[in-house]
Amino acid sequence: MTPRAAARALCLLPFVLTIGPLLPVEAAQSPPSAIAAPAVTQAPLRTSDAYNNFGLTKEVFGYASAGSLGNSSIGYPSWNFNLLATVAFFAIHINYNGTLKTDDGNWSVWNSSTLTGLVNTAHAHGTKVVVTLVGPGSADLCNALYHDQVTVDAIVQQVVAKGIDGVNIDIEGQQAQCNPTDPQFTPQTNQTLLTWFARDLRAGLDAVKPGYYLSIATYSGSALGNDGFFNIPDLNQYVDSFFVMAYDMDYSNQHHPPLNCSSFCMAPISPLTNYYWNDTNSMAQYSSVVGAGKVILGQPYYARVSCVATVSAHAVAITTVQAASYIAAASAINDIDVKPGTYRSHRDPNDPTGMDRWDAWYDNSYGCWRVMHWSDVTTLAARYDLVNRTNLRGVGFWTLNYGGGSPELWATIQSYFVTCINATVTPVPAPPQLSGTQVQLTGGSSACANPRYEFWMLPPGGTWRIVQGYSSAATYTWSTTGLRPGIYRFSVWARDANSRGPNGTAPNTYDSFAALDYALTTSPCSGVEVSAQPPSGVVGNAVTITGSATGCPNPRYQFWLLPPGGSWSIVQPYSTQTTFTWNTNNRVPG
């Protein structure tokens, strides 16, 4: 046979028709809004929903001490930037005349490769870097505030030069009257001057680029009234957030119940409840004045420790009260000076919901019993729950260097402030299937530390219902025995164990969801036939392949093709069409 003759001869191999009585598949969706369901599609996180690239749902704000900033054990190389929203370089100091202090170690770090490394690392994770401004002592505070424009011009220049994201104000003091000797200035309270400083700094930043982040550190009781150093309502006009320094309450609570101590006695540094000054009241006061969305609950990453005469939760300190970093407090139990068998851990009896921790041991080096109050992850978790429960802006720490890379600290942050994202659902076996098949639906998600899954089902013509409530089980086993044919819709909700679910309406809330349509049939097709017209032909002729099925009321047909020397492929997917028209142009004979 000549090559030309071979090109004109064409033989057809049999077509294979795969069929089943499928029902039309509609777009998958989640339970209706009547039961607090998500929408059919899930929009990506907006800037306001996430504080960094990892999907933080709350702002996690940490001060970063300049002195150990580059330390590989406790400095920024040890921090988990996936779990940080804002890092505040601490600090640049203000001189009496408003200029920036440029002759100390902090300024040297500020102008070093260490700062560059911090900024580059943070920005790679979507984490902000801001610089903290610290005021001079009380004797020079008034003068510095009168020269606030000098400070504003200088610090804005630094923000631009370093490519950072804003400023944190940490100017502290007690309210006092300022009586300037310079006639260009009029007498004002330092409270008023601080508010003007925030106003002018806001204007200076906005003049360069609107959107720079401006925050301020304030006292835990300042929102109770306007008679202190900080006028919270007035400052609220200019700042984006308030870092509430909710620590050192052990000093402030000394003369109030339940302590009533005439000299310093050991107590929780940041009690949650049941003390005169506590986190819960402070956050409620701030939220009522500026709104919860601008309030950051500042927490101590440090401990208080002292020798005591008698061991108790509120023992009177008989030596100088010392501070210890979180790392030092967590490792105290293993210190070589601890007398074997004497170390004990407790929870504060006056603040049971706060789970405030205090430890006691006999110290061979000091020759005394020592008591230490500090926040372990159980204590911190109670505060994180307050942040979520009252929908605060976030949580903050003094300082990140005190906690370093302690894995338990970062894991607890992730557990409370990272929700489940990218939910998925996988069925085995895949649809369609006959009634009576046992199906396993498995949910999945990412980012969250402790995912929980809830499974919903919408049967044909029915209503949504929960078929398996929230649990750590990621798989739901669905028995289809006796179920009528049709499309069964499933929605799998994912929520972290410590998340209250930002979507939906309580009690039906979720972090993320995935949806699936699953087709069931009870009438399998018992037979199928196929024919071709014409049954054979030449290259270029159209061929009509026709399928027919028996034993099923609503057959659907899928057409496959196996070319000579090739592999099977679908040429027409499932549909009600009983025919497939095959264009043989440019086909290889065979």
Side-chain angles (χ1 to χ4, degrees):
M1 181 180 293
T2 66
R4 181 177 297 274
R8 296 184 61 191
L10 178 64
C11 293
L12 294 175
L13 291 177
F15 269 72
V16 174
L17 298 179
T18 308
I19 58 176
L22 301 182
L23 298 177
V25 178
E26 301 176 30
Q29 58 183 230
S30 205
S33 58
I35 55 172
V40 175
T41 57
Q42 193 166 14
L45 290 170
R46 303 184 304 275
T47 302
S48 59
D49 296 325
Y51 286 93
N52 68 1
N53 295 343
F54 191 61
L56 279 174
T57 58
K58 298 293 182 183
E59 181 167 4
V60 179
F61 186 115
Y63 283 102
S65 298
S68 57
L69 185 62
N71 187 289
S72 60
S73 298
I74 61 175
Y76 86 85
S78 70
W79 305 339
N80 186 342
F81 281 85
N82 282 342
L83 301 171
L84 283 172
T86 307
V87 175
F89 176 91
F90 193 88
I92 291 179
H93 292 261
I94 304 171
N95 291 315
Y96 75 95
N97 59 359
T99 60
L100 304 181
K101 188 174 180 62
T102 60
D103 58 354
D104 61 7
N106 288 2
W107 187 257
S108 297
V109 177
W110 177 252
N111 289 287
S112 71
S113 59
T114 299
L115 179 77
T116 304
L118 166 67
V119 173
N120 290 343
T121 302
H123 285 174
H125 292 78
T127 302
K128 293 184 178 69
V129 177
V130 300
V131 59
T132 299
L133 281 175
V134 175
S138 57
D140 293 325
L141 182 58
C142 286
N143 278 333
L145 290 174
Y146 275 118
H147 292 87
D148 74 329
Q149 195 59 51
V150 175
T151 307
V152 169
D153 292 343
I155 199 62
V156 169
Q157 182 181 28
Q158 290 298 316
V159 167
V160 174
K162 302 303 184 186
I164 63 171
D165 307 290
V167 179
N168 170 252
I169 302 170
D170 185 19
I171 299 176
E172 302 177 33
Q174 298 299 314
Q175 186 176 18
Q177 182 69 28
C178 294
N179 297 302
T181 57
D182 189 328
Q184 69 175 310
F185 301 126
T186 59
Q188 301 289 343
T189 64
N190 55 11
Q191 181 200 77
T192 297
L193 292 175
L194 178 64
T195 300
W196 290 357
F197 176 68
R199 176 199 64 194
D200 295 342
L201 183 52
R202 174 83 278 164
L205 290 168
D206 287 350
V208 174
K209 184 181 71 174
Y212 277 124
Y213 185 28
L214 180 59
S215 59
I216 187 169
T218 56
Y219 303 143
S220 59
S222 296
L224 189 59
N226 299 328
D227 56 346
F229 182 63
F230 299 101
N231 187 312
I232 302 304
D234 286 353
L235 289 166
N236 188 43
Q237 304 172 73
Y238 309 113
V239 302
D240 298 304
S241 69
F242 291 85
F243 182 102
V244 183
M245 297 180 286
Y247 34 77
D248 292 350
M249 293 183 185
D250 46 345
Y251 282 96
S252 301
N253 281 325
Q254 291 294 312
H255 305 302
H256 299 284
L259 295 180
N260 297 314
C261 296
S262 57
S263 61
F264 188 88
C265 56
M266 309 303 292
I269 299 171
S270 183
L272 184 67
T273 59
N274 294 351
Y275 286 80
Y276 187 83
W277 299 107
N278 63 72
D279 296 337
T280 303
N281 287 347
S282 177
M283 296 300 98
Q285 291 158 6
Y286 269 88
S287 295
S288 67
V289 176
V290 302
K294 296 185 76 168
V295 183
I296 298 171
L297 173 61
Q299 286 293 286
Y301 266 1
Y302 61 86
R304 297 252 194 255
V305 59
S306 178
C307 288
V308 299
T310 304
V311 173
S312 68
H314 307 311
V316 175
I318 61 174
T319 59
T320 301
V321 180
Q322 298 174 319
S325 69
Y326 171 89
I327 292 175
S331 61
I333 189 172
N334 299 315
D335 193 281
I336 59 174
D337 293 324
V338 174
K339 183 178 180 179
T342 64
Y343 202 100
R344 297 289 185 274
S345 297
H346 314 270
R347 298 293 171 184
D348 184 78
N350 296 105
D351 188 20
T353 57
M355 302 296 289
D356 303 279
R357 179 169 171 173
W358 67 279
D359 296 359
W361 68 93
Y362 188 84
D363 194 295
N364 290 323
S365 177
Y366 283 86
C368 67
W369 283 91
R370 305 194 85 195
V371 166
M372 177 174 68
H373 278 265
W374 65 296
S375 295
D376 63 1
V377 292
T378 301
T379 305
L380 291 168
R383 277 72 183 165
Y384 299 168
D385 184 66
L386 174 67
V387 171
N388 285 335
R389 187 172 68 250
T390 58
N391 202 26
L392 300 180
R393 182 183 183 94
V395 68
F397 305 104
W398 175 261
T399 69
L400 293 173
N401 312 62
Y402 294 162
S406 302
E408 68 277 13
L409 291 178
W410 298 108
T412 307
I413 291 173
Q414 180 175 2
S415 181
Y416 279 84
F417 303 129
V418 176
T419 60
C420 301
I421 60 175
N422 302 325
T424 60
V425 56
T426 304
V428 176
Q433 294 295 329
L434 299 176
S435 289
T437 303
Q438 183 168 281
V439 180
Q440 287 193 326
L441 302 172
T442 301
S445 61
S446 59
C448 52
N450 300 293
R452 299 293 184 266
Y453 298 96
E454 184 166 271
F455 293 79
W456 294 72
M457 182 176 71
L458 175 66
T463 58
W464 285 104
R465 62 186 177 90
I466 297 173
V467 292
Q468 184 169 293
Y470 274 117
S471 73
S472 58
T475 298
Y476 164 61
T477 301
W478 179 37
S479 175
T480 67
T481 301
L483 296 183
R484 67 187 182 90
I487 301 297
Y488 289 77
R489 289 181 175 163
F490 289 90
S491 184
V492 178
W493 290 8
R495 188 175 74 186
D496 189 86
N498 293 310
S499 172
R500 295 181 176 272
N503 303 302
T505 305
N508 298 306
T509 62
Y510 63 97
D511 294 344
S512 178
F513 83 93
L516 169 75
D517 281 354
Y518 202 101
L520 280 185
T521 179
T522 56
S523 302
C525 297
S526 57
V528 61
E529 294 183 357
V530 62
S531 62
Q533 188 62 39
S536 64
V538 297
V539 171
N541 288 350
V543 180
T544 300
I545 310 298
T546 302
S548 61
T550 57
C552 47
N554 297 295
R556 299 294 186 268
Y557 299 86
Q558 183 165 274
F559 294 79
W560 295 70
L561 172 67
L562 177 65
S567 57
W568 286 105
S569 64
I570 296 173
V571 291
Q572 183 169 294
Y574 275 118
S575 72
T576 58
Q577 289 292 114
T578 60
T579 61
F580 165 63
T581 300
W582 181 35
N583 184 348
T584 67
N585 282 333
N586 301 317
R587 292 289 180 176
V588 176

